[in-house]
Amino acid sequence: MDDSPKFLILRHIEGNSLSHLAPVLDRHGVACVYRDAEALENTDWPDPAEYDGLMILGGYEHLPEIMKSARIRHEIEFIREMIDREKPVFGICLGAQLIAASLGAPVRKNPFSERGWYTLNLTEDGIKDPVLGPLGNPFLQFHWHEDTYDLPENAARLAYSETCPQQAFRYENHVYGVQFHPEIDKATILEWISQAKTLTEKETTDMLSVTATCLARQQEANRAMLDRFLNRCAGNR
């Protein structure tokens, strides 16, 4: 019988994946099971006992607009049960907002949209954090979001930007949420740019210029970040 740890990967965009981060889970012997959140019926959510961890990917949805929908309520309940069972949970962008909501924090529209590469700063807790701290201070990450969350009660704020004060948080030792996209690859950036209706020519040129010079380095740093998260949470699997 296969006793490899099994992580549920919840996605909100068809075909979305962990991309270059996937080999990190492979090295840890983690089997990844992808499920599309929108395809899950209200009574079709998996049993949290079946999984040893959870990663929640981003999406196009604006959580404040759909918070009362039955599907979102069930997703938030599922996330909270995984947290309460002390399973490793890692949320990206919308995933971080969903984790915050599961912990009782409001999610709302951010005063500024962040699309492209932004410099982030670590808080004092972030500098000391064993998962995010080694990213450096400041550090560069790719963003694509309009919404944000309030810091959940008893969570540690780890990072912020000039235009969004909530960029990463830790809850207890096994739950992390990041507003940026550590899984990003060039193909996805090009796809999102092609779908964007309000990007200026200069914004697009600047985004692609930074991508050309920084993407490979940031991907390497983010793979190391996920490796540290999995090492930190090994006892919770």
Side-chain angles (χ1 to χ4, degrees):
M1 184 173 65
D2 185 6
D3 59 354
S4 300
K6 184 168 64 173
F7 275 37
L8 175 63
I9 315 298
L10 272 180
R11 57 188 175 193
H12 302 86
I13 300 173
E14 185 178 358
N16 200 10
S17 76
L18 289 169
S19 184
H20 71 96
L21 296 179
V24 180
L25 286 96
D26 290 341
R27 288 198 299 271
H28 282 259
V30 174
C32 294
V33 178
Y34 284 88
R35 296 291 299 273
D36 293 308
E38 288 190 6
L40 292 170
E41 298 292 338
N42 297 338
T43 58
D44 191 34
W45 279 88
D47 183 352
E50 295 179 8
Y51 296 96
D52 303 292
L54 171 66
M55 296 188 71
I56 314 156
L57 304 184
Y60 301 131
E61 300 157 304
H62 294 291
L63 195 54
E65 299 174 1
I66 59 173
M67 185 68 76
K68 295 182 179 180
S69 71
R71 198 267 296 170
I72 290 296
R73 290 201 308 270
H74 280 83
E75 184 168 1
I76 287 173
E77 289 169 3
F78 176 82
I79 293 168
R80 184 56 193 254
E81 187 164 355
M82 291 290 287
I83 292 172
D84 289 344
R85 287 172 178 258
E86 299 186 347
K87 304 289 183 74
V89 178
F90 194 100
I92 293 171
C93 197
L94 176 63
Q97 297 164 18
L98 284 162
I99 293 174
S102 78
L103 295 170
V107 179
R108 52 187 168 74
K109 187 175 178 62
N110 195 54
F112 299 94
S113 296
E114 290 186 324
R115 294 182 298 182
W117 295 94
Y118 285 80
T119 298
L120 307 185
N121 298 285
L122 292 171
T123 64
E124 289 187 15
D125 283 330
I127 292 171
K128 300 173 185 175
D129 185 76
V131 174
L132 263 72
L135 288 173
N137 191 29
F139 63 103
L140 190 67
Q141 291 288 348
F142 190 84
H143 293 69
W144 202 279
H145 70 102
E146 297 180 4
D147 298 326
T148 187
Y149 52 85
D150 288 350
L151 185 68
E153 187 175 0
N154 298 321
R157 184 169 75 116
L158 303 179
Y160 62 94
S161 68
E162 290 185 2
T163 50
C164 184
Q166 303 295 344
Q167 288 286 357
F169 67 92
R170 181 189 70 242
Y171 180 76
E172 297 184 349
N173 291 322
H174 63 291
V175 180
Y176 280 76
V178 298
Q179 187 60 68
F180 52 89
H181 282 275
E183 85 291 4
I184 201 69
D185 56 26
K186 185 175 180 180
T188 304
I189 291 174
L190 292 174
E191 179 183 355
W192 289 356
I193 288 174
S194 70
Q195 295 173 352
K197 298 179 180 179
T198 58
L199 281 178
T200 66
E201 183 176 349
K202 183 180 185 306
E203 287 173 330
T204 299
T205 300
D206 290 347
M207 196 182 303
L208 293 176
S209 176
V210 178
T211 297
T213 58
C214 296
L215 178 61
R217 182 169 65 250
Q218 293 313 116
Q219 287 181 326
E220 181 179 5
N222 288 329
R223 287 192 291 271
M225 177 187 67
L226 181 59
D227 183 67
R228 293 189 294 269
F229 169 76
L230 293 171
N231 284 331
R232 179 178 176 84
C233 296
N236 294 80
R237 302 207 293 264

